Amino acid sequence: MDEIEDIRENAPRIGDLLGMAAERAVPVVAALPDDRLTAVTPCAEYDVKALVNHLFHVVVEFRKLAGKQNSDFTVSPDYVGEGPDWRERFAEAARKLVAAWSAPGADEGTTGAMNMPAVTVGSMALLDMTVHIWDLARATGQAYEPEGEALAVLDQLAGAVAELAPTARAMGMFGEPVAVPEGASAFERLLAETGRDPRWEAPAAG
């Protein structure tokens, strides 16, 4: 039991993991070109602009959830349309999200309208900050795959996706799992579990 407790105490907290994800996410968003905002993404219901707006709103609202406050996902504002500094505003919002989930007690107890464990809610934000960043990178020809210390993000998300998948698929948030070849990376397997094809390529411009 002492060994299990030591592992739990030494495991990265949600705030730490979000920090790792944000460090890799912000450069991808910063490099999104204006002339690709209407491009399709692996997340079929969103083009690049709509996906940025969705992810931006996730960042804003999940910051509230870290503080056990109410959130509102009924409408995603047009953050991109609010001004040409949307990339910088996203970076600042991501910084505040990390700070909120790094605060003492943020990943303890329950939060949200569904009264879910805070660590699960934080993992949902972490998932969006990982898979949607991959969506945006793929749609705009950028390379993106967690590596190094960020592999701890994948460890957390593997468990979270396994927990959330049945409900997420029933609600249409995840697609059916995609088959991946033997030897696929942990990240490719994670993407496939959310219904994404890790080999997705942006259509040729034309």
Side-chain angles (χ1 to χ4, degrees):
M1 287 296 293
D2 289 343
E3 291 182 359
I4 294 174
E5 289 301 322
D6 287 343
I7 291 172
R8 287 175 177 169
E9 289 181 5
N10 294 323
R13 305 295 292 269
I14 291 297
D16 297 329
L17 296 172
L18 277 168
M20 296 174 194
E23 183 179 350
R24 289 157 177 79
V26 167
V28 171
V29 173
L32 294 174
D34 287 333
D35 64 0
R36 296 290 292 166
L37 290 177
T38 59
V40 298
T41 74
C43 198
E45 64 267 37
Y46 296 111
D47 63 14
V48 168
K49 179 182 177 182
L51 188 54
V52 170
N53 281 332
H54 169 72
L55 181 59
F56 207 140
H57 199 50
V58 164
V59 169
V60 169
E61 295 301 314
F62 273 82
R63 176 189 171 197
K64 298 177 185 176
L65 291 169
K68 311 298 192 285
Q69 300 171 355
N70 293 330
S71 59
D72 183 2
F73 292 98
T74 55
V75 177
S76 290
D78 184 6
Y79 295 98
V80 173
E82 289 175 2
D85 63 338
W86 55 269
R87 299 170 184 84
E88 292 78 12
R89 285 186 281 113
F90 177 84
E92 178 62 13
R95 184 193 67 76
K96 291 179 178 178
L97 175 74
V98 173
W101 281 97
S102 299
D107 57 0
E108 298 173 1
T110 58
T111 189
M114 297 178 67
N115 205 34
M116 297 174 66
V119 69
T120 300
V121 174
S123 296
M124 292 167 66
L126 182 64
L127 181 63
D128 274 16
M129 282 285 281
T130 303
V131 298
H132 282 326
I133 290 298
W134 178 85
D135 291 331
L136 292 169
R138 276 286 170 153
T140 56
Q142 300 184 60
Y144 176 81
E145 180 160 355
E147 56 188 3
E149 67 173 9
L151 291 176
V153 172
L154 302 185
D155 291 340
Q156 176 69 26
L157 290 180
V161 167
E163 176 186 353
L164 295 169
T167 300
R169 290 197 181 102
M171 296 176 64
M173 298 169 64
F174 287 1
E176 291 301 312
V178 174
V180 293
E182 185 176 349
S185 70
F187 188 42
E188 290 172 331
R189 293 195 300 273
L190 176 73
L191 293 169
E193 282 300 309
T194 70
R196 288 165 169 78
D197 181 355
R199 296 156 293 186
W200 188 93
E201 298 286 346

